[in-house]
Amino acid sequence: MPTDVDAGRSGLDLTDGWTRRWTVSWRAGGDDASCSVHDLVQEPVLTSDPMRRFTWRRDQRHRPGLQFLTSTGRHHGAESLKESRVLLALDFAGDVVDVVWQPLKISFVTCGKRRAHTPDYLAVTRRGVWLIDVRPEPLIKEADRESFAAAAEVAVACGWRYAVAARWREHAFAGLDAMASRRRLRSDPLGLRPVLLAEAGGGRRFGELAAATGCEPVARAQLLHLLWSRQLGVDLAGPLQDRSLVMPAKEAAGDRGGGAGPFPRRRAGAGRDGVDGRAPRTTPGPGAVGEGRRHPRADDLPVPGQPSAVPAVVTDVVGGG
């Protein structure tokens, strides 16, 4: 069941002029800056530095670290394993230009009090900008719901979309992690990739496709790389296993209604500029304040079981542990 982002809206001060009363602060080049939500769309927050840094201690209960994204060619910070999963899902989803960790702090008014909230990620994609919070569903309290609702209002005001990653589908990360293990596989000394792409025409089972090459162990690694890079498609609504149906990306997209589809074709290295693979820090033009979209429903949004642009608005994406 999706977590309702709107559940915390009741206590927010959203009366006329709220976009001028609420403020946002960020950090760039070591300097702090701030503005009202009304003026946020004119500010360079999409290229900001993290609002805070993480540290390690022996007794801490979460595990911070760095996650490398092939989409940006850089490491990005994560304060927990849950956040690392979100970064991996963003990397797989495609169309990611840049991801800013702890991008900004929102100061909002609720019941006569002023509170602050720092979302976890700002993801810039070629399909728009996403503001993302990460919080395991059992740990979400009423104050968190209020903070999430405030972040959603700011996102809508800026023409961005908002998501809370709270619970992964049980099988989703086993398949995603398997493909990620081969995402940086560069070489194909046995020339198996053209064979696999040709054999997949019309759809073949993963195990059959690997066995058809005569070099099954190596073919499995190459298959995972082709799936990660979206040259082949597979339905991740179920577990990734030998009987999973694999087909060329265009055919997979066509089976789901054409267009970009849930399996958009992505060339290896697509979306990167320069020899070091870094993505340019471009700033898609968000709409004017008040021109944002409605809060999306969970079924509006892509999830690892339905790969497309970014993980879903709260929810049915994240699993237990």
Side-chain angles (χ1 to χ4, degrees):
M1 291 293 293
T3 300
D4 187 3
V5 175
D6 289 337
R9 293 184 76 247
S10 59
L12 299 179
D13 175 14
L14 295 173
T15 56
D16 288 346
W18 71 269
T19 58
R20 296 186 183 278
R21 293 190 297 274
W22 291 21
T23 61
V24 175
S25 56
W26 66 96
R27 185 166 294 148
D31 297 326
D32 293 337
S34 64
C35 70
S36 67
V37 171
H38 181 274
D39 297 326
L40 182 60
V41 292
Q42 308 297 331
E43 301 294 340
V45 296
L46 301 184
T47 57
S48 63
D49 298 327
M51 287 298 295
R52 65 174 184 263
R53 304 288 179 177
F54 55 75
T55 58
W56 290 268
R57 301 188 313 274
R58 285 193 307 170
D59 59 343
Q60 68 187 25
R61 301 178 62 181
H62 61 285
R63 196 178 84 180
L66 297 173
Q67 178 74 49
F68 181 82
L69 302 190
T70 56
S71 302
T72 65
R74 301 197 312 279
H75 287 86
H76 297 263
E79 283 191 304
S80 66
L81 293 177
K82 304 297 188 298
E83 292 188 6
S84 292
R85 286 184 168 188
V86 170
L87 287 174
L88 191 64
L90 283 170
D91 200 23
F92 172 69
D95 285 340
V96 172
V97 175
D98 205 358
V99 179
V100 184
W101 172 63
Q102 305 282 348
L104 48 84
K105 182 170 71 174
I106 302 168
S107 179
F108 59 97
V109 180
T110 171
C111 297
K113 298 183 298 183
R114 184 167 287 273
R115 293 187 53 211
H117 172 62
T118 302
D120 293 304
Y121 294 106
L122 189 68
V124 183
T125 79
R126 291 176 180 80
R127 302 183 184 187
V129 180
W130 287 74
L131 192 62
I132 301 172
D133 271 303
V134 183
R135 186 78 170 166
E137 195 171 52
L139 301 182
I140 296 178
K141 299 179 174 60
E142 288 306 313
D144 296 321
R145 296 181 189 279
E146 195 171 67
S147 295
F148 297 159
E153 293 296 335
V154 171
V156 170
C158 293
W160 305 339
R161 304 196 75 169
Y162 179 71
V164 178
R167 177 168 51 88
W168 295 104
R169 294 177 180 175
E170 291 184 5
H171 67 272
F173 244 88
L176 190 57
D177 193 54
M179 290 185 289
S181 69
R182 302 299 177 184
R183 57 181 168 165
R184 300 176 73 180
L185 187 64
R186 302 296 185 191
S187 62
D188 180 23
L190 300 182
L192 295 180
R193 290 180 192 173
V195 176
L196 291 168
L197 290 169
E199 290 287 333
R204 295 282 297 274
R205 303 294 178 186
F206 186 97
E208 295 173 356
L209 191 54
T213 63
C215 190
E216 184 174 348
V218 180
R220 286 177 176 273
Q222 295 292 350
L223 267 175
L224 291 172
H225 177 77
L226 292 173
L227 288 170
W228 175 272
S229 61
R230 301 299 181 81
Q231 296 176 66
L232 292 175
V234 65
D235 188 358
L236 292 179
L240 179 61
Q241 50 196 347
D242 275 2
R243 63 173 179 268
S244 297
L245 187 64
V246 176
M247 61 184 66
K250 286 185 177 180
E251 294 181 27
D255 285 349
R256 294 294 187 92
F263 305 111
R265 181 92 178 249
R266 187 181 71 181
R267 301 185 309 277
R272 301 181 196 162
D273 294 328
V275 295
D276 63 352
R278 289 175 179 257
R281 284 178 171 259
T282 56
T283 304
V289 170
E291 294 181 359
R293 308 166 190 165
R294 63 176 174 80
H295 296 313
R297 300 188 308 267
D299 56 1
D300 289 336
L301 302 171
V303 298
Q306 301 168 322
S308 182
V310 196
V313 153
V314 185
T315 102
D316 206 13
V317 275
V318 197

